[in-house]
Amino acid sequence: MFEYFPGNYVWNLGVVAALNSGGLIDEVDRACRPLREAAAQGSDAGTPDFLRAWTALTDQLVTQAEQAEKAGHTRTAGELYFRATTYLCQAERMLAHSDPNRLPTYRRVLELAQKSFDLRDRRISRVAIPYEGTTLPAYLSLAPATETGPAPVIVLVNGLDSNKEHMYGSAHWRELADRGISCLMLDQPGTGEALRLQGLTARIDAEAWAAAAVDWLETRSEVDKDRIGIVGWSLGGYYAPRAAAFEKRFALCVAWGANHNWGAVQRRRLEREGERPVPHYWEHVLWVWGHDDLDAFIAFADGVHLDGVVEKITVPFLIAHGENDRQIPLEYAHRSYDQAVNSPRRELRVFTPEEGATEHIGLDHLPHVSTFIADWVADTFRERS
């Protein structure tokens, strides 16, 4: 992985995520240069500095976008708003839950994303999925194929610390659209806007909110109801297989990072084994799951695993994992594959250091994983047509 800040895995992950989600190396470098000393103090201590530097870059791009828009250069403005969204997303991701800047920063991310949709990606719209007396926020990308009839769709699911704006930046929805597939980028409970603005915390039984997404998609005339799939990255590599095991309307499943036993990973992190995805880690985890006692949470987290679950997957199942994933052991990818005995088409794809995409969910070469998954999804849906 490209390591701008030697020894600071968490910040390096943010840098490569930005660069592989439409960011430009000059802009990222200008934001990061003043942070080298702060980075050496550890991922937690320097997050206010990280926010200031990346917000300054965001402000610069927004000013340029506003000038371009006034001049009628809407494409230029849209590209600037898109990159501003990507950069501010990474800065917001670093903040502690208790940081007073977290919510204002995220609200601004939402505003910038909408400006990017309006000027750059008009096929994406904000939607709300009915769910247990409230709604789940999502972005819907309708593939051009829907202009001539219903098209297949992927429900794209977050991990522990990502949100639908990260999904937008990844451009996976565009890879799918170019293959005739729509994409529902979902902030499920415990992630993104659902957590930050609505207080909806994560749950082990992912099939509950996944079923709500399928219910809503089945009401849409643009959707081929027999070809709805689910793809989950990072902790979504637990959520998506769990959902597909119990929600039988999904036609396929992809674990973008095999999070087979997330509870066991938490016990290792208590012992400082492996890397953590975000600063202020335990504060973040307790917030996501709605707990306030770490000991009680660790006991609860033992239930977040896929043993006895993936055996119930009866649709095509892809597991994509990096050989050098420093967060989730490669052995978990093999465990998910070995246990998915009732999938009619199971596949394990391990990305190697020689080709790249070998880190967590392939963030070091994200487009490589994204296109592989998009091709697999397109092929699988084609077999079902």
Side-chain angles (χ1 to χ4, degrees), residues 54-81:
W54 286 57
T55 298
L57 173 60
T58 299
D59 291 343
Q60 183 183 59
L61 297 188
V62 168
T63 297
Q64 293 172 358
E66 291 170 346
Q67 293 170 347
E69 197 171 0
K70 287 178 183 177
H73 303 150
T74 55
R75 175 175 171 76
T76 297
E79 291 294 332
L80 288 161
Y81 282 129

PDB file of all heavy atoms in Angstrom, residues 54-81:
ATOM      1  N   TRP A  54      -7.725  18.915   5.475  1.00  0.00           N
ATOM      2  CA  TRP A  54      -8.588  18.422   4.403  1.00  0.00           C
ATOM      3  C   TRP A  54      -9.817  19.317   4.206  1.00  0.00           C
ATOM      4  O   TRP A  54     -10.347  19.395   3.100  1.00  0.00           O
ATOM      5  CB  TRP A  54      -8.973  16.965   4.670  1.00  0.00           C
ATOM      6  CG  TRP A  54      -7.829  16.023   4.420  1.00  0.00           C
ATOM      7  CD1 TRP A  54      -6.602  16.062   5.000  1.00  0.00           C
ATOM      8  CD2 TRP A  54      -7.816  14.920   3.517  1.00  0.00           C
ATOM      9  NE1 TRP A  54      -5.804  15.041   4.518  1.00  0.00           N
ATOM     10  CE2 TRP A  54      -6.524  14.325   3.614  1.00  0.00           C
ATOM     11  CE3 TRP A  54      -8.746  14.358   2.658  1.00  0.00           C
ATOM     12  CZ2 TRP A  54      -6.161  13.208   2.858  1.00  0.00           C
ATOM     13  CZ3 TRP A  54      -8.387  13.236   1.914  1.00  0.00           C
ATOM     14  CH2 TRP A  54      -7.114  12.673   2.009  1.00  0.00           C
ATOM     15  N   THR A  55     -10.233  20.007   5.242  1.00  0.00           N
ATOM     16  CA  THR A  55     -11.317  20.986   5.080  1.00  0.00           C
ATOM     17  C   THR A  55     -10.833  22.177   4.269  1.00  0.00           C
ATOM     18  O   THR A  55     -11.591  22.728   3.444  1.00  0.00           O
ATOM     19  CB  THR A  55     -11.839  21.444   6.446  1.00  0.00           C
ATOM     20  OG1 THR A  55     -12.382  20.324   7.149  1.00  0.00           O
ATOM     21  CG2 THR A  55     -12.938  22.488   6.290  1.00  0.00           C
ATOM     22  N   ALA A  56      -9.586  22.588   4.492  1.00  0.00           N
ATOM     23  CA  ALA A  56      -9.031  23.696   3.708  1.00  0.00           C
ATOM     24  C   ALA A  56      -9.016  23.340   2.226  1.00  0.00           C
ATOM     25  O   ALA A  56      -9.340  24.177   1.360  1.00  0.00           O
ATOM     26  CB  ALA A  56      -7.625  24.033   4.203  1.00  0.00           C
ATOM     27  N   LEU A  57      -8.625  22.091   1.912  1.00  0.00           N
ATOM     28  CA  LEU A  57      -8.659  21.642   0.523  1.00  0.00           C
ATOM     29  C   LEU A  57     -10.086  21.645   0.000  1.00  0.00           C
ATOM     30  O   LEU A  57     -10.354  22.101  -1.123  1.00  0.00           O
ATOM     31  CB  LEU A  57      -8.051  20.246   0.414  1.00  0.00           C
ATOM     32  CG  LEU A  57      -8.155  19.561  -0.951  1.00  0.00           C
ATOM     33  CD1 LEU A  57      -7.455  20.380  -2.033  1.00  0.00           C
ATOM     34  CD2 LEU A  57      -7.579  18.150  -0.885  1.00  0.00           C
ATOM     35  N   THR A  58     -11.018  21.144   0.799  1.00  0.00           N
ATOM     36  CA  THR A  58     -12.427  21.138   0.403  1.00  0.00           C
ATOM     37  C   THR A  58     -12.914  22.552   0.113  1.00  0.00           C
ATOM     38  O   THR A  58     -13.577  22.801  -0.904  1.00  0.00           O
ATOM     39  CB  THR A  58     -13.287  20.496   1.508  1.00  0.00           C
ATOM     40  OG1 THR A  58     -12.865  19.147   1.712  1.00  0.00           O
ATOM     41  CG2 THR A  58     -14.759  20.527   1.134  1.00  0.00           C
ATOM     42  N   ASP A  59     -12.589  23.491   0.988  1.00  0.00           N
ATOM     43  CA  ASP A  59     -13.010  24.886   0.807  1.00  0.00           C
ATOM     44  C   ASP A  59     -12.477  25.451  -0.507  1.00  0.00           C
ATOM     45  O   ASP A  59     -13.196  26.168  -1.227  1.00  0.00           O
ATOM     46  CB  ASP A  59     -12.509  25.745   1.968  1.00  0.00           C
ATOM     47  CG  ASP A  59     -13.188  25.428   3.288  1.00  0.00           C
ATOM     48  OD1 ASP A  59     -14.258  24.793   3.268  1.00  0.00           O
ATOM     49  OD2 ASP A  59     -12.639  25.814   4.337  1.00  0.00           O
ATOM     50  N   GLN A  60     -11.230  25.131  -0.812  1.00  0.00           N
ATOM     51  CA  GLN A  60     -10.632  25.628  -2.055  1.00  0.00           C
ATOM     52  C   GLN A  60     -11.394  25.101  -3.271  1.00  0.00           C
ATOM     53  O   GLN A  60     -11.719  25.854  -4.208  1.00  0.00           O
ATOM     54  CB  GLN A  60      -9.165  25.203  -2.128  1.00  0.00           C
ATOM     55  CG  GLN A  60      -8.442  25.721  -3.350  1.00  0.00           C
ATOM     56  CD  GLN A  60      -7.013  25.209  -3.421  1.00  0.00           C
ATOM     57  OE1 GLN A  60      -6.781  23.998  -3.459  1.00  0.00           O
ATOM     58  NE2 GLN A  60      -6.048  26.118  -3.424  1.00  0.00           N
ATOM     59  N   LEU A  61     -11.711  23.801  -3.254  1.00  0.00           N
ATOM     60  CA  LEU A  61     -12.429  23.213  -4.382  1.00  0.00           C
ATOM     61  C   LEU A  61     -13.838  23.749  -4.503  1.00  0.00           C
ATOM     62  O   LEU A  61     -14.346  23.976  -5.611  1.00  0.00           O
ATOM     63  CB  LEU A  61     -12.454  21.693  -4.255  1.00  0.00           C
ATOM     64  CG  LEU A  61     -11.109  20.962  -4.292  1.00  0.00           C
ATOM     65  CD1 LEU A  61     -11.326  19.456  -4.345  1.00  0.00           C
ATOM     66  CD2 LEU A  61     -10.273  21.410  -5.467  1.00  0.00           C
ATOM     67  N   VAL A  62     -14.498  23.970  -3.369  1.00  0.00           N
ATOM     68  CA  VAL A  62     -15.858  24.507  -3.400  1.00  0.00           C
ATOM     69  C   VAL A  62     -15.860  25.918  -3.986  1.00  0.00           C
ATOM     70  O   VAL A  62     -16.739  26.276  -4.784  1.00  0.00           O
ATOM     71  CB  VAL A  62     -16.479  24.484  -1.990  1.00  0.00           C
ATOM     72  CG1 VAL A  62     -17.771  25.294  -1.949  1.00  0.00           C
ATOM     73  CG2 VAL A  62     -16.754  23.044  -1.559  1.00  0.00           C
ATOM     74  N   THR A  63     -14.883  26.721  -3.613  1.00  0.00           N
ATOM     75  CA  THR A  63     -14.782  28.068  -4.185  1.00  0.00           C
ATOM     76  C   THR A  63     -14.606  27.994  -5.698  1.00  0.00           C
ATOM     77  O   THR A  63     -15.263  28.729  -6.456  1.00  0.00           O
ATOM     78  CB  THR A  63     -13.597  28.824  -3.552  1.00  0.00           C
ATOM     79  OG1 THR A  63     -13.832  28.977  -2.161  1.00  0.00           O
ATOM     80  CG2 THR A  63     -13.423  30.201  -4.190  1.00  0.00           C
ATOM     81  N   GLN A  64     -13.739  27.088  -6.149  1.00  0.00           N
ATOM     82  CA  GLN A  64     -13.542  26.912  -7.585  1.00  0.00           C
ATOM     83  C   GLN A  64     -14.822  26.420  -8.264  1.00  0.00           C
ATOM     84  O   GLN A  64     -15.160  26.853  -9.376  1.00  0.00           O
ATOM     85  CB  GLN A  64     -12.400  25.931  -7.828  1.00  0.00           C
ATOM     86  CG  GLN A  64     -11.040  26.435  -7.391  1.00  0.00           C
ATOM     87  CD  GLN A  64      -9.967  25.357  -7.460  1.00  0.00           C
ATOM     88  OE1 GLN A  64     -10.248  24.203  -7.814  1.00  0.00           O
ATOM     89  NE2 GLN A  64      -8.741  25.717  -7.120  1.00  0.00           N
ATOM     90  N   ALA A  65     -15.534  25.519  -7.598  1.00  0.00           N
ATOM     91  CA  ALA A  65     -16.778  24.988  -8.168  1.00  0.00           C
ATOM     92  C   ALA A  65     -17.823  26.081  -8.305  1.00  0.00           C
ATOM     93  O   ALA A  65     -18.531  26.156  -9.325  1.00  0.00           O
ATOM     94  CB  ALA A  65     -17.301  23.862  -7.288  1.00  0.00           C
ATOM     95  N   GLU A  66     -17.940  26.915  -7.294  1.00  0.00           N
ATOM     96  CA  GLU A  66     -18.923  28.001  -7.339  1.00  0.00           C
ATOM     97  C   GLU A  66     -18.599  28.972  -8.473  1.00  0.00           C
ATOM     98  O   GLU A  66     -19.511  29.441  -9.187  1.00  0.00           O
ATOM     99  CB  GLU A  66     -18.954  28.724  -5.999  1.00  0.00           C
ATOM    100  CG  GLU A  66     -19.551  27.878  -4.881  1.00  0.00           C
ATOM    101  CD  GLU A  66     -19.378  28.488  -3.504  1.00  0.00           C
ATOM    102  OE1 GLU A  66     -18.570  29.438  -3.363  1.00  0.00           O
ATOM    103  OE2 GLU A  66     -20.044  28.021  -2.557  1.00  0.00           O
ATOM    104  N   GLN A  67     -17.316  29.254  -8.670  1.00  0.00           N
ATOM    105  CA  GLN A  67     -16.920  30.138  -9.771  1.00  0.00           C
ATOM    106  C   GLN A  67     -17.217  29.501 -11.122  1.00  0.00           C
ATOM    107  O   GLN A  67     -17.710  30.174 -12.044  1.00  0.00           O
ATOM    108  CB  GLN A  67     -15.432  30.465  -9.642  1.00  0.00           C
ATOM    109  CG  GLN A  67     -15.084  31.318  -8.440  1.00  0.00           C
ATOM    110  CD  GLN A  67     -13.593  31.426  -8.194  1.00  0.00           C
ATOM    111  OE1 GLN A  67     -12.788  30.672  -8.763  1.00  0.00           O
ATOM    112  NE2 GLN A  67     -13.191  32.362  -7.330  1.00  0.00           N
ATOM    113  N   ALA A  68     -16.942  28.211 -11.240  1.00  0.00           N
ATOM    114  CA  ALA A  68     -17.217  27.511 -12.495  1.00  0.00           C
ATOM    115  C   ALA A  68     -18.712  27.471 -12.792  1.00  0.00           C
ATOM    116  O   ALA A  68     -19.140  27.653 -13.938  1.00  0.00           O
ATOM    117  CB  ALA A  68     -16.653  26.095 -12.423  1.00  0.00           C
ATOM    118  N   GLU A  69     -19.495  27.248 -11.748  1.00  0.00           N
ATOM    119  CA  GLU A  69     -20.947  27.185 -11.936  1.00  0.00           C
ATOM    120  C   GLU A  69     -21.494  28.527 -12.402  1.00  0.00           C
ATOM    121  O   GLU A  69     -22.351  28.598 -13.293  1.00  0.00           O
ATOM    122  CB  GLU A  69     -21.604  26.751 -10.627  1.00  0.00           C
ATOM    123  CG  GLU A  69     -23.020  26.250 -10.770  1.00  0.00           C
ATOM    124  CD  GLU A  69     -23.555  25.623  -9.509  1.00  0.00           C
ATOM    125  OE1 GLU A  69     -22.832  25.561  -8.493  1.00  0.00           O
ATOM    126  OE2 GLU A  69     -24.729  25.183  -9.547  1.00  0.00           O
ATOM    127  N   LYS A  70     -20.996  29.606 -11.802  1.00  0.00           N
ATOM    128  CA  LYS A  70     -21.445  30.951 -12.212  1.00  0.00           C
ATOM    129  C   LYS A  70     -21.091  31.241 -13.663  1.00  0.00           C
ATOM    130  O   LYS A  70     -21.809  31.957 -14.361  1.00  0.00           O
ATOM    131  CB  LYS A  70     -20.816  31.996 -11.295  1.00  0.00           C
ATOM    132  CG  LYS A  70     -21.405  32.038  -9.896  1.00  0.00           C
ATOM    133  CD  LYS A  70     -20.696  33.064  -9.022  1.00  0.00           C
ATOM    134  CE  LYS A  70     -21.249  33.053  -7.603  1.00  0.00           C
ATOM    135  NZ  LYS A  70     -20.520  34.004  -6.717  1.00  0.00           N
ATOM    136  N   ALA A  71     -19.981  30.672 -14.105  1.00  0.00           N
ATOM    137  CA  ALA A  71     -19.543  30.883 -15.482  1.00  0.00           C
ATOM    138  C   ALA A  71     -20.246  29.949 -16.460  1.00  0.00           C
ATOM    139  O   ALA A  71     -19.986  30.002 -17.670  1.00  0.00           O
ATOM    140  CB  ALA A  71     -18.031  30.691 -15.583  1.00  0.00           C
ATOM    141  N   GLY A  72     -21.119  29.089 -15.942  1.00  0.00           N
ATOM    142  CA  GLY A  72     -21.841  28.159 -16.794  1.00  0.00           C
ATOM    143  C   GLY A  72     -21.070  26.895 -17.111  1.00  0.00           C
ATOM    144  O   GLY A  72     -21.484  26.104 -17.960  1.00  0.00           O
ATOM    145  N   HIS A  73     -19.952  26.668 -16.421  1.00  0.00           N
ATOM    146  CA  HIS A  73     -19.127  25.479 -16.657  1.00  0.00           C
ATOM    147  C   HIS A  73     -19.567  24.375 -15.694  1.00  0.00           C
ATOM    148  O   HIS A  73     -18.881  24.049 -14.730  1.00  0.00           O
ATOM    149  CB  HIS A  73     -17.651  25.814 -16.469  1.00  0.00           C
ATOM    150  CG  HIS A  73     -17.181  26.928 -17.339  1.00  0.00           C
ATOM    151  ND1 HIS A  73     -16.149  27.800 -16.986  1.00  0.00           N
ATOM    152  CD2 HIS A  73     -17.604  27.354 -18.566  1.00  0.00           C
ATOM    153  CE1 HIS A  73     -15.963  28.677 -17.933  1.00  0.00           C
ATOM    154  NE2 HIS A  73     -16.832  28.432 -18.914  1.00  0.00           N
ATOM    155  N   THR A  74     -20.730  23.837 -15.975  1.00  0.00           N
ATOM    156  CA  THR A  74     -21.349  22.921 -15.012  1.00  0.00           C
ATOM    157  C   THR A  74     -20.594  21.610 -14.876  1.00  0.00           C
ATOM    158  O   THR A  74     -20.547  21.031 -13.787  1.00  0.00           O
ATOM    159  CB  THR A  74     -22.814  22.645 -15.399  1.00  0.00           C
ATOM    160  OG1 THR A  74     -22.863  22.166 -16.750  1.00  0.00           O
ATOM    161  CG2 THR A  74     -23.645  23.907 -15.265  1.00  0.00           C
ATOM    162  N   ARG A  75     -19.998  21.120 -15.967  1.00  0.00           N
ATOM    163  CA  ARG A  75     -19.244  19.871 -15.856  1.00  0.00           C
ATOM    164  C   ARG A  75     -18.041  20.062 -14.934  1.00  0.00           C
ATOM    165  O   ARG A  75     -17.773  19.234 -14.056  1.00  0.00           O
ATOM    166  CB  ARG A  75     -18.789  19.379 -17.232  1.00  0.00           C
ATOM    167  CG  ARG A  75     -17.900  18.149 -17.122  1.00  0.00           C
ATOM    168  CD  ARG A  75     -17.528  17.542 -18.472  1.00  0.00           C
ATOM    169  NE  ARG A  75     -16.521  16.504 -18.315  1.00  0.00           N
ATOM    170  CZ  ARG A  75     -16.741  15.285 -17.855  1.00  0.00           C
ATOM    171  NH1 ARG A  75     -17.965  14.933 -17.496  1.00  0.00           N
ATOM    172  NH2 ARG A  75     -15.770  14.403 -17.744  1.00  0.00           N
ATOM    173  N   THR A  76     -17.327  21.159 -15.115  1.00  0.00           N
ATOM    174  CA  THR A  76     -16.174  21.444 -14.253  1.00  0.00           C
ATOM    175  C   THR A  76     -16.615  21.564 -12.802  1.00  0.00           C
ATOM    176  O   THR A  76     -15.980  21.009 -11.895  1.00  0.00           O
ATOM    177  CB  THR A  76     -15.488  22.742 -14.708  1.00  0.00           C
ATOM    178  OG1 THR A  76     -14.989  22.565 -16.037  1.00  0.00           O
ATOM    179  CG2 THR A  76     -14.336  23.110 -13.784  1.00  0.00           C
ATOM    180  N   ALA A  77     -17.707  22.278 -12.579  1.00  0.00           N
ATOM    181  CA  ALA A  77     -18.210  22.442 -11.213  1.00  0.00           C
ATOM    182  C   ALA A  77     -18.580  21.105 -10.601  1.00  0.00           C
ATOM    183  O   ALA A  77     -18.279  20.832  -9.428  1.00  0.00           O
ATOM    184  CB  ALA A  77     -19.413  23.382 -11.216  1.00  0.00           C
ATOM    185  N   GLY A  78     -19.227  20.254 -11.376  1.00  0.00           N
ATOM    186  CA  GLY A  78     -19.625  18.944 -10.861  1.00  0.00           C
ATOM    187  C   GLY A  78     -18.428  18.100 -10.452  1.00  0.00           C
ATOM    188  O   GLY A  78     -18.456  17.432  -9.410  1.00  0.00           O
ATOM    189  N   GLU A  79     -17.365  18.134 -11.255  1.00  0.00           N
ATOM    190  CA  GLU A  79     -16.160  17.375 -10.917  1.00  0.00           C
ATOM    191  C   GLU A  79     -15.524  17.908  -9.630  1.00  0.00           C
ATOM    192  O   GLU A  79     -15.043  17.140  -8.792  1.00  0.00           O
ATOM    193  CB  GLU A  79     -15.146  17.442 -12.064  1.00  0.00           C
ATOM    194  CG  GLU A  79     -15.568  16.700 -13.317  1.00  0.00           C
ATOM    195  CD  GLU A  79     -15.649  15.196 -13.107  1.00  0.00           C
ATOM    196  OE1 GLU A  79     -14.917  14.668 -12.245  1.00  0.00           O
ATOM    197  OE2 GLU A  79     -16.451  14.547 -13.805  1.00  0.00           O
ATOM    198  N   LEU A  80     -15.521  19.219  -9.470  1.00  0.00           N
ATOM    199  CA  LEU A  80     -14.948  19.820  -8.266  1.00  0.00           C
ATOM    200  C   LEU A  80     -15.779  19.458  -7.031  1.00  0.00           C
ATOM    201  O   LEU A  80     -15.224  19.139  -5.981  1.00  0.00           O
ATOM    202  CB  LEU A  80     -14.856  21.330  -8.439  1.00  0.00           C
ATOM    203  CG  LEU A  80     -13.768  21.804  -9.409  1.00  0.00           C
ATOM    204  CD1 LEU A  80     -14.041  23.228  -9.867  1.00  0.00           C
ATOM    205  CD2 LEU A  80     -12.389  21.699  -8.770  1.00  0.00           C
ATOM    206  N   TYR A  81     -17.083  19.511  -7.154  1.00  0.00           N
ATOM    207  CA  TYR A  81     -17.936  19.116  -6.020  1.00  0.00           C
ATOM    208  C   TYR A  81     -17.757  17.633  -5.679  1.00  0.00           C
ATOM    209  O   TYR A  81     -17.784  17.248  -4.502  1.00  0.00           O
ATOM    210  CB  TYR A  81     -19.400  19.395  -6.336  1.00  0.00           C
ATOM    211  CG  TYR A  81     -19.816  20.845  -6.192  1.00  0.00           C
ATOM    212  CD1 TYR A  81     -20.485  21.504  -7.224  1.00  0.00           C
ATOM    213  CD2 TYR A  81     -19.555  21.548  -5.019  1.00  0.00           C
ATOM    214  CE1 TYR A  81     -20.881  22.828  -7.095  1.00  0.00           C
ATOM    215  CE2 TYR A  81     -19.949  22.884  -4.881  1.00  0.00           C
ATOM    216  CZ  TYR A  81     -20.598  23.508  -5.927  1.00  0.00           C
ATOM    217  OH  TYR A  81     -20.991  24.823  -5.793  1.00  0.00           O
TER     218      TYR A  81
END
